[in-house]
Amino acid sequence: MVTMFLKSMLFPLIFALALAPRSQGVSQSQTQPSLSTTFNEIKYHGGPLLTKPNSINIYLIWYGAFSRNDRSSTTDFFASFNPSKGLVPHQEPTVATWWKTIQTYKDKSGNSVSSTVKLVKQIGDIYSLGKNIKRAQIANYVKHKIETKVLPFDSNGIYLVLTSRDVIVERFCMGSCGFHDNIVVSTKRTRLVYAHIGDPLVQCPGLCAWPYSLPAYGPPGQQALVAPNGVGADGMVMNIATIIAGATTNPFKNGYFQGDPLAPLEAVTACPGIFGEGAYSGYPGNLMVDKVSKASYNAYGANGRKFLLPAIWELTSSKCKVIH
């Protein structure tokens, strides 16, 4: 979707895209805002959000072969939304802290986005669709899982398909680190939200796992940061965070976004490449660093995990808000 031209232009373009996957898998702004800019104003377009009072329920499909570390990093990320799940008391900021900014997004009735995210069910699949998949196949695949009752029907759920590093998905790594969309199950009239995120370790770590991996063409002297859970695992978590933020605040393309509804800037994708205070193009901002592993992060999670979570567009201040 994004045409990359002239090596001299490639580095800033990639950093503008890095860690800001297209929520609908289409083009978005190539300009990286500072923490004080207001030109990417997120507006509400009147549509429904995922606002049920209990939680946003995640139904996770592991498609392909994943390592134990990849699986545990992701499940620990979802467990981190619940402060009672293995988090060290008084250790801030946490994943739940990060989500509080998303809760400020409200529908036309004044209902806030659901207060937490919960991993309800996970299943595995060893390449039933092969290793080269179209986006339309993912939609039909999720519909089939629901219609055959492998996964429950849940109007406040997100059906999340994660593909392993050896699976090629249409448009993945072509300016896109993941996407969300919606489907209508034949037995119901309610639309459901589904999403895809791939493991970027082999195919495009410089795009979808930045700043833990650098683009092939960049200025000399740049160094990748150390990933607390591994480059592929942390790349997936950052992109999962981005996608679920967009899927909850703009689930049906008529919620919160800026620009064309088919190429929207959403709650996180309006803040590409921003993770800490002082961020600018090519620099993720000031982050915490583990004294032993030297890994960089900005949030604490369950079971001693450390994560790097992207900035969220804050509606009240019209700025990109980083977790702190």
Side-chain angles (χ1 to χ4, degrees), residues 111-187:
N111 300 312
S112 297
V113 165
S114 302
S115 61
T116 190
V117 177
K118 182 179 180 181
L119 178 57
V120 174
K121 185 173 182 178
Q122 50 185 322
I123 61 175
D125 186 327
I126 304 299
Y127 311 112
S128 67
L129 299 176
K131 293 187 177 182
N132 196 322
I133 304 173
K134 301 293 185 182
R135 286 192 171 188
Q137 288 179 281
I138 295 177
N140 291 330
Y141 176 81
V142 172
K143 285 178 64 174
H144 179 72
K145 294 296 183 185
I146 299 168
E147 289 171 348
T148 57
K149 302 186 186 306
V150 174
L151 295 174
F153 184 96
D154 189 342
S155 60
N156 211 58
I158 298 175
Y159 299 84
L160 179 58
V161 180
L162 302 182
T163 51
S164 57
R165 63 193 64 171
D166 57 344
V167 176
I168 297 172
V169 175
E170 180 184 19
R171 299 191 215 170
F172 179 62
C173 290
M174 300 297 290
S176 173
C177 301
F179 72 96
H180 70 81
D181 210 327
N182 59 88
I183 53 174
V184 177
V185 177
S186 60
T187 56

Side-chain angles (χ1 to χ4, degrees), residues 17-21 35 77 81 94-95 97-102 208 210-212 234-246 266-277 279 284 287 297-299 307-314 319-324:
L17 297 171
L19 274 298
L35 295 176
F77 169 69
F81 283 90
T94 65
V95 174
T97 305
W98 175 79
W99 189 251
K100 288 180 180 178
T101 302
I102 290 295
C208 296
W210 184 84
Y212 294 132
D234 281 311
M236 291 188 73
V237 166
M238 288 185 285
N239 293 314
I240 289 170
T242 299
I243 291 298
I244 63 173
E266 298 178 330
V268 170
T269 54
C271 302
I274 299 175
F275 297 92
E277 297 286 354
L287 305 173
Y297 63 100
N298 63 5
F307 298 110
L308 184 61
L309 302 179
I312 299 171
W313 184 265
E314 187 177 50
K319 295 180 181 179
C320 293
K321 182 179 180 179
V322 297
I323 185 174
H324 55 77

Side-chain angles (χ1 to χ4, degrees), residues 20-67:
R22 278 41 155 198
S23 297
Q24 306 298 339
V26 289
S27 299
Q28 72 174 42
S29 170
Q30 297 174 2
T31 303
Q32 176 161 337
S34 70
L35 295 176
S36 61
T37 55
T38 59
F39 57 86
N40 285 333
E41 195 74 35
I42 299 293
K43 296 180 179 180
Y44 181 45
H45 296 78
L49 315 180
L50 299 188
T51 58
K52 289 188 177 180
N54 295 326
S55 66
I56 294 164
N57 297 322
I58 302 295
Y59 300 95
L60 185 55
I61 302 172
W62 298 96
Y63 185 92
F66 291 86
S67 70

Side-chain angles (χ1 to χ4, degrees), residues 19 68 119 228 265 300:
L19 274 298
R68 179 177 297 180
L119 178 57
L265 289 172
Y300 294 99

